[in-house]
Amino acid sequence: MRGSQDMLLAVKLPCRPGVMSTSLHSLTLADAERPEGRVFPLAALQLIIPAPSGYCVYVTLATPSVYLLDSYSERLAHIGRTFSFDVPEAGAGAEPAGPR
């Protein structure tokens, strides 16, 4: 689900380039006292990091409030900076890279 206030950013991480996505949403919960329900703005942040062997790592954070977006963005950036991938040594049980 993407909207007009969503954003994609290319990010340079120590392990390799990645993509960060920010998506703003509103959640409507039913409320017996309000026929229209209660509306809560929230944000979802996702960091996508390509990993070895054609895999990707997805780290997703959801905020309970759009007002926490900056704080959660900083936390997600910190998480992204901690990723590293070990590459198995050739001949140590590792399969050769590339198509078969």
Side-chain angles (χ1 to χ4, degrees), residues 5 11 17 30 37 40 42 49 52-53 58-59 62 64 69 74 83-84 89 91 93-95 97:
Q5 295 183 359
V11 291
F40 297 94
L42 57 97
I49 307 168
S53 302
Y58 291 82
V59 181
L69 185 60
E74 290 174 18
F83 269 85
S84 65
E89 294 180 26
E95 295 184 20

Side-chain angles (χ1 to χ4, degrees), residues 56-75:
C56 281
V57 174
Y58 291 82
V59 181
T60 304
L61 299 177
T63 70
S65 167
V66 293
Y67 304 110
L68 297 172
L69 185 60
D70 289 340
S71 174
Y72 277 56
S73 295
E74 290 174 18
R75 285 174 172 79

